[in-house]
């Protein structure tokens, strides 16, 4: 199996690797160097049609393949991901700009966990039965939906792509999947892994392309019955508008503007080191990052001083170097967006406590896209900087006097993905957790993930939940059978 980056990435349709039918490609750029290092298909409706036809043809056999057989194949995929960790991690870093150590520690291990988790999960999946005493018995069948679409973003490329594909396949569906056009390489490599693992042709089809030409065509295709999407709230809105009148099932995992609420009784050292991570990991490009830091007034100045001092030490630079704690921003488009948000914060009267500017790379990274960790204070809760998702290494600080005020600040957001609460008072932790309008709450920790738990957001952060049984339920249709006794 050859997992080196090719000059031309190929689509995976009906078990074959093939060029886009139009012959059109887009540049694939390494954001740490600025180099165009491969070309990615600019797939369109013709490729989507071919992928749907292949998926439809594969469905009758795959949907009736015994779960034990599906389990074995998905487990083989997991094992091959582990066996090829180095090649996949390097590809992820070259596509995305994230530090190589992070790809090795988080992204690629999680991709194999996703397959292993849902391979095992489907072996234990069961359904309800409802007895009507001696009158009747109802049982619920959960059948695969058919052909489903999975569309994912660039920030955790293989990690989020497999988080959708694995439960869809485990549940017996055939999949037409599209990774982000910004980070296509590891999903191309996954195609090769699926061939090697013996996944039957057409069960998984991977198309490379952008949102308008390819993603929206997948969403609108009449034979694709469900869409699992992770990405921006903007695209989520378009997808909901297309899918709703077609009565498709949709799962939307969208943006966030998450509060990190720090009370004065927090375990200081743990809170400090975790807050550095929850602010700047992956250059702040994680939907779960705590971009609004809310600090109890009595510790605000002390927090501010130590937080700045620690963030100042984060080395920004070549993602291949172990010493780099921050790599490159994923693309020129996104780099310009983040710098634009920083400019807006300045115009709104924000004070730059740290950063607020680009960083010039050195050596092979001289043309790379780097931004300094940025800490801003002095902005009100409802200004654009505190309301809109930036999705970069940028956090704001606000102080609060009371628990009520902390909650008010936390909930002044159109988003509701996650929140972190730092306190050693158990009663307060429970009270605040219950009142924050977010789907995922961490108390005295961050990004501690149990794959069985429901994952998703309130408000503009999305619709539906991923993870555990929620994912397997999403990818199956319940059917009640009532038998009169
Ligand atoms: P994006 O919405 O631009 O793109 C995501 C994917 O959707 C890409 O594959 C893209 O090609 C495709 N796409 C774009 N427009 C589409 C359309 N109209 N129809 C169908 N497909 C379309 O998002 P992005 O910039 O790649 O990712 C960053 C965003 O993702 C941030 O908002 C972040 O918060 C969010 N995100 C959310 C979660 C979560 O779990 N809630 C996780 C990671 C990222």
């Amino acid at each position: 199996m050859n997992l080196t980056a090719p000059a031309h990435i190929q689509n995976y349709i009906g078990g074959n690797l093939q060029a886009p039918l139009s012959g059109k490609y887009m540049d694939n750029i390494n954001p740490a160097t600025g180099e165009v290092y491969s070309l990615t298909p600019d797939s369109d409706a013709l490729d989507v049609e071919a992928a749907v036809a292949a998926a439809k043809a594969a469905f009758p056999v795959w949907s009736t393949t015994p779960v034990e057989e599906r389990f074995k194949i998905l487990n083989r995929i997991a094992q091959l991901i582990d066996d090829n960790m180095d090649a996949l991690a390097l590809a992820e870093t070259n596509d995305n700009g994230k530090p190589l150590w992070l790809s090795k520690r988080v992204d690629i291990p999680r991709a194999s966990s996703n397959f292993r988790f849902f391979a095992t999960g489907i072996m234990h999946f069961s359904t309800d039965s409802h007895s009507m005493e001696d009158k009747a018995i109802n049982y619920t069948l959960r059948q695969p939906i058919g052909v489903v679409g999975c569309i994912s973003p660039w920030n955790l490329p293989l990690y989020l792509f497999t988080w959708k594909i694995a439960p869809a396949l485990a549940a017996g569906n055939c999949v037409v999947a599209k990774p982000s056009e910004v980070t296509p390489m590891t999903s191309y490599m996954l195609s090769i892994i699926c061939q090697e693992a013996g996944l039957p042709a057409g069960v998984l089809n991977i198309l490379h392309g952008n949102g308008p030409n390819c993603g929206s065509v997948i969403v609108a295709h009449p034979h694709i019955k469900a869409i699992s999407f992770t990405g921006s709230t903007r695209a989520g809105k378009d997808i909901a508008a297309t899918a709703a009148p077609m009565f498709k099932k949709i799962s939307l995992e969208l943006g966030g503007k998450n509060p990190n609420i720090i009370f004065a009784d927090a375990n200081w050292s743990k809170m400090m080191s975790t807050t550095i991570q929850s602010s700047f990991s992956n250059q702040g490009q994680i939907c779960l990052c705590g971009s609004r830091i809310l600090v109890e007034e009595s510790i605000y100045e002390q927090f501010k001083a130590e937080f700045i001092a620690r963030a100042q030490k984060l080395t920004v630079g070549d993602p291949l170097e172990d010493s780099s704690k921050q790599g490159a921003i994923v693309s020129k488009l996104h780099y310009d967006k983040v710098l634009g948000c920083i400019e807006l914060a300045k115009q709104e009267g924000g004070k730059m406590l740290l950063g607020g500017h680009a960083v010039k790379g050195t050596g092979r990274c001289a043309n790379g896209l780097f931004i300094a960790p940025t800490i801003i204070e002095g902005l009100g809760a409802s200004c654009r900087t505190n309301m809109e998702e930036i999705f970069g290494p940028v956090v704001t600080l606000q102080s609060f006097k009371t628990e009520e005020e902390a909650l008010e600040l936390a909930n002044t957001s159109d988003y509701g993905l996650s929140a972190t609460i730092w306190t050693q008072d158990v009663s307060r932790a429970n009270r605040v957790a219950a009142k924050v309008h977010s789907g995922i709450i961490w108390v005295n920790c961050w990004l501690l993930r149990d794959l069985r738990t429901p994952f998703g957001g309130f408000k503009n952060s999305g619709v539906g939940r991923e993870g555990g049984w929620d994912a397997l339920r999403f990818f199956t249709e319940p059917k009640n059978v009532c038998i009169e006794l």
Side-chain angles (χ1 to χ4, degrees):
M1 198 170 47
N2 177 12
L3 290 191
T4 49
H8 289 79
I9 287 173
Q10 291 175 298
N11 287 329
Y12 175 53
I13 300 178
N16 300 312
L17 292 169
Q18 60 183 65
L21 294 168
S22 68
K24 288 188 193 151
Y25 288 87
M26 301 176 282
D27 288 347
N28 187 28
I29 299 167
N30 179 335
T33 63
E35 172 203 9
V36 177
Y37 79 107
S38 71
L39 297 175
T40 192
D42 185 0
S43 304
D44 62 21
L46 287 177
D47 304 287
V48 174
E49 209 50 64
V52 173
K56 277 180 76 179
F59 182 70
V61 173
W62 181 247
S63 57
T64 52
T65 297
V67 286
E68 198 164 343
E69 186 58 26
R70 283 187 236 149
F71 159 84
K72 281 185 193 155
I73 295 172
L74 298 182
N75 249 346
R76 276 204 293 277
I77 296 173
Q79 189 56 51
L80 286 167
I81 292 174
D82 284 342
D83 294 348
N84 290 282
M85 156 78 113
D86 287 344
L88 289 164
L90 183 63
E92 206 70 295
T93 285
N94 286 339
D95 255 8
N96 175 280
K98 66 179 69 200
L100 183 58
W101 58 261
L102 188 63
S103 299
K104 285 188 180 170
R105 202 178 294 166
V106 175
D107 292 76
I108 308 307
R110 175 58 191 277
S112 67
S113 294
N114 289 340
F115 274 105
R116 206 165 275 118
F117 177 79
F118 285 109
T120 319
I122 199 63
M123 297 279 280
H124 297 264
F125 194 42
S126 61
T127 58
D128 292 331
S129 117
H130 299 88
S131 164
M132 299 168 75
E133 292 78 41
D134 55 356
K135 259 205 237 90
I137 178 96
N138 295 271
Y139 63 88
T140 308
L141 289 173
R142 282 215 161 251
Q143 297 174 318
I145 298 170
V147 180
V148 300
C150 296
I151 301 177
S152 60
W154 47 255
N155 64 320
L156 299 163
L158 194 62
Y159 173 137
L160 290 174
F161 196 55
T162 54
W163 181 231
K164 301 181 174 307
I165 289 170
L169 296 176
N173 301 284
C174 291
V175 177
V176 174
K178 194 193 87 59
S180 169
E181 63 275 28
V182 182
T183 51
M185 194 59 82
T186 48
S187 46
Y188 163 75
M189 291 175 172
L190 180 68
S191 315
I192 299 170
I193 285 176
C194 289
Q195 287 179 322
E196 180 83 10
L199 187 70
V203 169
L204 171 63
N205 304 276
I206 300 177
L207 296 177
H208 299 276
N210 61 31
N213 295 346
C214 185
S216 60
V217 182
I218 292 174
V219 173
H221 198 290
H223 293 148
I224 296 185
K225 302 292 182 197
I227 298 290
S228 174
F229 172 81
T230 298
S232 62
T233 296
R234 174 197 52 76
K237 234 182 219 176
D238 291 348
I239 289 169
T242 304
M246 299 178 85
F247 305 110
K248 295 190 184 203
K249 270 184 125 172
I250 50 172
S251 165
L252 301 175
E253 298 295 337
L254 310 176
K257 189 76 182 175
N258 310 306
N260 177 8
I261 310 167
I262 302 169
F263 288 96
D265 67 341
N267 174 328
W268 188 262
S269 66
K270 186 161 179 246
M271 176 277 292
M272 261 304 174
S273 52
T274 308
T275 294
I276 286 287
Q277 288 172 23
S278 65
S279 302
F280 301 118
S281 287
N282 206 35
Q283 297 73 247
Q285 302 166 136
I286 301 181
C287 54
L288 306 162
C289 276
S291 52
R292 291 184 297 139
I293 304 180
L294 314 177
V295 188
E296 192 164 352
E297 195 179 64
S298 60
I299 56 162
Y300 183 84
E301 290 303 325
Q302 188 193 353
F303 171 85
K304 180 168 108 180
E306 189 168 333
F307 186 56
I308 295 169
R310 288 208 190 196
Q312 222 157 15
K313 290 195 190 125
L314 294 171
T315 314
V316 181
D318 190 340
L320 297 183
E321 301 289 339
D322 279 347
S323 57
S324 297
K325 296 293 171 255
Q326 299 271 284
I329 301 296
V330 73
S331 67
K332 180 71 168 66
L333 192 70
H334 193 58
Y335 170 87
D336 288 341
K337 181 206 150 175
V338 174
L339 289 177
C341 291
I342 292 172
E343 278 317 303
L344 173 68
K346 289 176 185 167
Q347 284 163 23
E348 288 187 312
K351 182 174 169 197
M352 298 291 136
L353 297 175
L354 183 71
H357 52 76
V359 173
K360 182 94 186 94
T362 56
R364 74 174 199 113
C365 295
N367 296 319
L369 305 167
F370 300 93
I371 295 179
T374 296
I375 305 172
I376 306 171
E377 77 168 353
L379 290 172
S382 55
C383 69
R384 284 182 59 194
T385 301
N386 273 326
M387 292 295 281
E388 296 174 8
E389 186 183 45
I390 298 174
F391 216 53
V394 181
V395 293
T396 61
L397 306 187
Q398 296 171 72
S399 73
F400 63 84
K401 286 195 183 69
T402 62
E403 191 177 307
E404 290 67 36
E405 195 189 348
L407 275 164
E408 200 180 310
L409 289 173
N411 289 333
T412 307
S413 171
D414 298 330
Y415 293 102
L417 188 54
S418 72
T420 301
I421 301 164
W422 291 96
T423 178
Q424 299 198 66
D425 176 339
V426 179
S427 304
R428 174 157 60 195
N430 285 307
R431 267 196 317 270
V432 176
K435 288 182 185 163
V436 173
H437 302 158
S438 301
I440 302 155
I441 310 283
W442 280 293
V443 176
N444 300 330
C445 59
W446 177 71
L447 211 58
L448 190 53
R449 292 279 293 118
D450 180 327
L451 302 188
R452 295 169 300 179
T453 59
F455 181 92
F458 291 12
K459 302 191 271 187
N460 289 1
S461 292
V463 174
R465 294 293 180 272
E466 296 188 311
W469 301 139
D470 282 307
L472 291 176
R473 289 196 191 108
F474 175 76
F475 284 115
T476 50
E477 276 290 8
K479 178 192 282 178
N480 190 65
V481 180
C482 176
I483 304 175
E484 191 169 39
L485 299 177

